[in-house]
Amino acid sequence: MDIENIFEIRNLHYSFSGKYTALSDVSFDIRRGERVVILGANGSGKSSLLNILDGLTFPQKGEVRFMGHTVSEDILKDEGFNRFFRNRVGFVFQNSDIQLFCSTVWDEITFGPLHLDLHPDEVKTRVLEISELLGIVKLWDRAPYQLSGGEKKKVAIASTIAVNPDVLLFDEPTNGLDPRSQAELVDFLEILHKRGKTIITSTHDLNIARMISDRAIVLNECHGVETEGPTPAILEDTKILLKVNLIHEHIHCHDGEMHRHPHGHLGDHAHEHKHGRGHRHEH
Amino acid sequence: MKLQWLKTDYGCPPSPQLKGSPGKKSYIEKTLKGITSFFMNGLFSEEIISRGGLLQSIDPRVKVLTLGLLVVAVSLYKHLSVLLIVYFATVVLAYFSRIGLRFFLLRVWLFIPLFSGIIALPALLNVFVPGEPIFDLVTFKNETALGPLRIPGTISITRQGAQSVSLFIMRVAASVSIVVLLTLTTRWSHLLKALRVYRVPQFFTFILGMSYRYIHLLLRQIEDTHLARKSRTIGREKGVSGRTWTVSQIKFVLNRSMSTGEKVYLAMVSRGFTYELKTMDNFTLKPVDYIWTAGSLTAIAITLGVTWI
Amino acid sequence: MHIPDGYLSPQTYLPFYGIMLPLWYLGSRILRKALNAKQIPLLALSAAFSFIIMMFNIPVPGGSSGHATGSVLIAIILGPWAALMAVSMALIIQALLFGDGGITAIGANCFNVAFVMSFSGYYIYRLLSFNSGTNIPRRIFAACVAAYVSINLAAFFTAVEFGIQPYIAHKADGTPLYGPYSLDVAVPIMAFEHLAVFGFIEALVTGLVVAYIARSDPSMLNIPALSKSAYQRSVSSARRRLWIGLGILILLTPLGLIASGTAWGEWGLEEIMQMLGFEPEGMKNMSNLWQSALPGYALPGLNGPIASVVGYLFSAVVGTGVVLLTAFIISRFVFRGR
């Protein structure tokens, strides 16, 4: 069966304890092998959306279809479907301390494959190879609380990849990482993309968004989809980015570069300035 | 223009006046000291494990079995001499495991055996343990009673009392030494895996491991909030605000642990967990493990034989 | 209250393993039914919470400080079985990691702190807060009393375990092999410490945290949600009553102790045993049984430990009964309304 759309999201509504709206009428599709970024300011519902895509929480209204199957709490109770789904969708959580719950790095990386009933020899091969690729073999015997932030993220990624999912969800993967770890992460995502993985990343880091995605879905502060389109075009659309509070008047992008404009006084934004390329530009 | 107060004036520092006795510690500091020593304990054992001495090279499964049996044996001995030999053996083992002797002795004696010794001291007297007097301390005119206690006419140290106190202290010290040897030379995760070999259910060992892992996280967060608070505190902390601090920290840990529990559950589900826990170990026994097992089991058998024959 | 290794003889600590193993098994079954797969992370984090509570120093008037165990608090929030499991795990981590709690004594420690305290605390709380609806001060009062009474019960068990050592394990010449103090010393000292100091620490921590939960997350305590202002009104109108209730209880508690003290001091042990239906002949047989089961150890004499244990047990029952009855009356009459 050849289904082009991995995920079909229709009219999602989700709220916490029935009171605080997190998502409101969200619809979009994710195609096979795509790199999509979900852009939104803090509190726009990105994390809730990824939780729903991973079948961890369930919307009050609307539908999530994964490879043609509706994902619901009931269907995930079916062992066969649960295994099918968990084998194909991997989630790297924003908070590595939540994701790394085992006593050692070794236990952590083997947890997913073992629970999805892979043969122990195959588990060993995978753990070794993914650990070598990420340079974390030396950490195997360590406990998660002995790792640095960058190491934790690598272990979290290794433990997700060891399952070999087709679809990968990353929640704010670059948060709190130093520039070197960020660059390594971008390179790694490139490898995954070349292997045909579908990669969905939530972020508010516009620089990273450019490097890791082809298409962007923008969530606004009303928890709905503001717009979607090719990433470069979206990142050029200052109006939209301003509207959803992803940029401030003083920090924004031009021609693929980040600009910061210093201001001499507070409370006054009306000004003109010149860019290196020489085009005039009004705020 | 608003924000007039937002100006910069470095001023000059007042000359510090040190008041009060610096030795008196508040109970918040006591708590924080406890937290720090929790982390130090982990760091120390990590460092000692990496030194690679005798006990470090022994398979955790074997270590748990033999040292566990030894603790049980210590609880069975009846002779002070046997307890002294076993205690001395733990010191020798500490030496060959490259644990600094000073560190080992302090780690063992401070708190439990020392504390036990203090509370056991009155048992020397015939007030608490009746027996043959070997040294008379005080003589009263007649017997008196203090609550349920009968105070004899002559208070003296008894042979039975002296034997009992020394047996008690050495038994406690030997047991603590063995457990400290085990924990200083074995990683927590290896200890748990070893327990699993002896049929301790996966359910328990996994929860113990996870719990220890999140104790670290929660204690780090308490430390961080304390530092944040300290940087904002002007003047000395009062008793009331200190109590508020403690209760607020307990609330904080309660909230954090409940919400973390929920989130960790989702993280487990996301990686395929449904009901049964599965893990994979890669322990292998080496010749040294067999030698160690044979040696220590023989030693335990001999010492127990001395006790019971 | 954690008993280290070397304090208890094998014939004391082994039976407690025997009691705890089925309780742990039962606990894991019951929780699996109630929480399914969620129990693993929830228990792990509850155990972490319990472990950390035991690290917090709480001041007591007079300048010293101690720590609470949190068993009753966890039992109120998560139920007695979850508390049994979580506190046991915390105690096991302490024992294995620091060598302080005692490996051989794990069974006994878990019995006292994780089992006796959680279950007695939980049911006392339930009894005193029964049908209290949104009457939050009554719940706080119930939590304080539950914590105070149950930590004293746990201390009582600890003292008895410790205090029977000289009777059941000594050399031929009378030298005690383990804990050297008899019941007559161990029980009063532990009782005094916990009645005067640790009981109040436990009550303070439990009461304050229950008060906090009642405000921030009432559903955790099965309290119907109140609006914030209603909560404020409820608390401020009844804060005085809370103090009155606790005050009466503190004043009346010594009466209960005196009552139980005289009972134990003035009545002959034979009378007490007759009253409880003990036949001296039967006791003798039991002692013989004990002796044959444990060769090499002196047997407890008829007038020795069993009589003492019965006496102490009797006074503990009377004391607890008086305190609980007083607390129940206070909770019904001082915390009326709603």
Side-chain angles (χ1 to χ4, degrees), chain B:
Chain B
M1 187 178 146
K2 282 184 182 168
L3 294 169
Q4 283 204 348
W5 51 271
L6 193 66
K7 60 195 177 193
T8 305
D9 169 21
Y10 292 101
C12 48
S15 51
Q17 292 182 336
L18 297 173
K19 270 191 233 160
S21 59
K24 203 176 175 189
K25 289 224 165 71
S26 82
Y27 59 93
I28 294 187
E29 280 168 63
K30 256 194 207 165
T31 301
L32 290 164
K33 228 179 113 192
I35 294 175
T36 311
S37 74
F38 174 86
F39 288 127
M40 291 308 280
N41 192 62
L43 287 178
F44 277 139
S45 50
E46 193 60 37
E47 200 253 327
I48 286 165
I49 288 161
S50 66
R51 283 182 202 163
L54 171 66
L55 281 174
Q56 289 91 329
S57 65
I58 289 169
D59 187 282
R61 288 171 297 178
V62 171
K63 236 187 315 187
V64 164
L65 176 73
T66 52
L67 293 180
L69 283 178
L70 192 57
V71 173
V72 173
V74 163
S75 77
L76 288 165
Y77 297 141
K78 289 173 151 186
H79 303 294
L80 185 61
S81 50
V82 178
L83 284 173
L84 283 170
I85 291 169
V86 171
Y87 175 72
F88 184 69
T90 63
V91 179
V92 173
L93 281 178
Y95 176 78
F96 283 113
S97 305
R98 302 192 193 163
I99 303 170
L101 278 190
R102 207 181 108 87
F103 172 75
F104 181 68
L105 293 179
L106 283 177
R107 173 76 181 75
V108 168
W109 281 92
L110 274 188
F111 204 57
I112 294 295
L114 197 69
F115 171 76
S116 305
I118 292 168
I119 61 165
L121 271 187
L124 288 171
L125 307 175
N126 58 351
V127 180
F128 299 101
V129 177
E132 306 155 34
I134 49 174
F135 185 77
D136 290 350
L137 291 175
V138 202
T139 308
F140 297 113
K141 274 179 194 140
N142 39 26
E143 287 193 11
T144 43
L146 190 77
L149 266 187
R150 222 165 285 135
I151 312 258
T154 305
I155 294 184
S156 47
I157 293 175
T158 62
R159 197 169 58 78
Q160 279 83 347
Q163 275 187 357
S164 165
V165 171
S166 43
L167 262 178
F168 180 65
I169 295 178
M170 285 321 294
R171 200 190 297 281
V172 172
S175 315
V176 174
S177 291
I178 297 163
V179 181
V180 167
L181 275 182
L182 177 65
T183 55
L184 279 182
T185 60
T186 319
R187 282 204 178 86
W188 178 239
S189 53
H190 288 174
L191 196 66
L192 294 178
K193 281 184 186 170
L195 287 177
R196 207 146 65 225
V197 178
Y198 300 108
R199 299 294 160 101
V200 175
Q202 177 95 299
F203 173 79
F204 287 95
T205 56
F206 192 85
I207 290 179
L208 287 173
M210 187 186 269
S211 180
Y212 184 61
R213 186 249 174 281
Y214 284 107
I215 288 170
H216 270 267
L217 182 70
L218 293 167
L219 288 181
R220 279 272 178 249
Q221 290 171 347
I222 294 173
E223 251 191 2
D224 292 347
T225 57
H226 176 73
L227 290 180
R229 173 182 177 272
K230 207 168 185 178
S231 70
R232 277 180 283 128
T233 308
I234 302 172
R236 304 185 66 169
E237 54 199 10
K238 291 266 166 26
V240 172
S241 80
R243 189 170 305 151
T244 315
W245 179 82
T246 304
V247 173
S248 72
Q249 290 303 307
I250 292 177
K251 294 170 191 167
F252 169 81
V253 177
L254 175 69
N255 280 342
R256 271 301 160 93
S257 48
M258 293 304 130
S259 67
T260 306
E262 292 282 335
K263 288 177 195 158
V264 167
Y265 172 66
L266 295 183
M268 292 171 78
V269 168
S270 174
R271 296 227 300 277
F273 171 76
T274 46
Y275 208 72
E276 292 299 329
L277 283 165
K278 292 159 196 158
T279 45
M280 186 168 76
D281 307 324
N282 40 3
F283 286 144
T284 42
L285 289 181
K286 303 177 294 298
V288 65
D289 296 318
Y290 293 106
I291 299 170
W292 167 265
T293 313
S296 51
L297 290 183
T298 314
I300 290 170
I302 291 172
T303 48
L304 279 180
V306 168
T307 302
W308 293 93
I309 294 164

Side-chain angles (χ1 to χ4, degrees), chain A residues 86-87 119 232 237 257:
Chain A
R86 300 291 169 211
N87 256 317
H119 189 271
D237 195 338
E257 276 176 69

Side-chain angles (χ1 to χ4, degrees), chain C:
Chain C
M1 209 189 326
H2 308 175
I3 306 172
D5 282 319
Y7 280 53
L8 301 183
S9 54
Q11 61 266 47
T12 316
Y13 67 67
L14 284 177
F16 282 104
Y17 272 104
I19 298 172
M20 288 315 292
L21 287 176
L23 281 176
W24 285 326
Y25 177 76
L26 209 61
S28 68
R29 289 268 123 186
I30 287 171
L31 293 175
R32 169 172 276 188
K33 226 175 179 177
L35 292 165
N36 206 342
K38 245 186 202 181
Q39 63 165 329
I40 286 173
L42 278 182
L43 276 184
L45 269 298
S46 307
F49 175 58
S50 167
F51 185 96
I52 291 172
I53 281 194
M54 294 186 208
M55 289 181 82
F56 274 106
N57 272 283
I58 319 282
V60 276
S64 73
S65 64
H67 68 82
T69 68
S71 306
V72 179
L73 179 61
I74 296 173
I76 290 173
I77 301 169
L78 298 172
W81 286 104
L84 166 74
M85 302 301 280
V87 177
S88 295
M89 301 273 183
L91 292 173
I92 292 169
I93 293 177
Q94 276 190 340
L96 288 178
L97 207 66
F98 299 106
D100 290 355
I103 303 287
T104 55
I106 283 177
N109 282 326
C110 289
F111 176 82
N112 303 332
V113 183
F115 174 64
V116 171
M117 210 173 147
S118 302
F119 274 80
S120 65
Y122 178 75
Y123 286 106
I124 292 169
Y125 170 78
R126 285 286 298 270
L127 173 79
L128 295 179
S129 69
F130 174 71
N131 223 349
S132 62
T134 56
N135 188 342
I136 288 162
R138 200 173 120 200
R139 280 177 192 268
I140 301 170
F141 176 77
C144 289
V145 174
Y148 185 82
V149 173
S150 61
I151 196 178
N152 276 294
L153 280 177
F156 175 74
F157 276 95
T158 309
V160 169
E161 288 150 25
F162 189 58
I164 56 172
Q165 296 311 312
Y167 307 103
I168 61 171
H170 54 75
K171 287 190 188 176
D173 67 355
T175 305
L177 285 163
Y178 303 92
Y181 295 111
S182 62
L183 283 167
D184 292 345
V185 179
V187 172
I189 287 182
M190 279 293 273
F192 176 75
E193 265 184 5
H194 286 81
L195 287 171
V197 181
F198 294 107
F200 288 106
I201 292 178
E202 197 72 42
L204 184 77
V205 169
T206 311
L208 285 171
V209 177
V210 166
Y212 162 76
I213 299 169
R215 181 177 65 231
S216 68
D217 196 356
S219 63
M220 230 182 202
L221 299 171
N222 298 320
I223 300 174
L226 283 176
S227 72
K228 204 176 171 190
S229 59
Y231 174 84
Q232 293 292 359
R233 248 180 289 130
S234 149
V235 168
S236 63
S237 79
R239 183 170 283 155
R240 203 163 39 91
R241 283 187 289 166
L242 185 64
W243 287 118
I244 295 172
L246 284 175
I248 296 174
L249 193 68
I250 288 170
L251 286 175
L252 287 182
T253 303
L255 288 184
L257 294 174
I258 291 165
S260 64
T262 51
W264 159 59
E266 285 177 7
W267 294 345
L269 287 171
E270 279 158 43
E271 281 170 71
I272 293 173
M273 286 196 289
Q274 268 172 4
M275 212 159 63
L276 295 174
F278 274 96
E279 288 292 324
E281 207 48 44
M283 301 255 307
K284 234 177 221 160
N285 292 339
M286 215 168 86
S287 310
N288 288 337
L289 199 80
W290 195 318
Q291 190 180 31
S292 56
L294 300 160
Y297 283 94
L299 81 150
L302 174 63
N303 295 321
I306 293 183
S308 287
V309 169
V310 171
Y312 278 114
L313 208 57
F314 186 72
S315 48
V317 168
V318 173
T320 311
V322 172
V323 171
L324 283 185
L325 191 69
T326 320
F328 186 75
I329 292 166
I330 293 172
S331 78
R332 279 302 152 118
F333 292 97
V334 178
F335 299 101
R336 260 190 319 234
R338 250 181 292 273

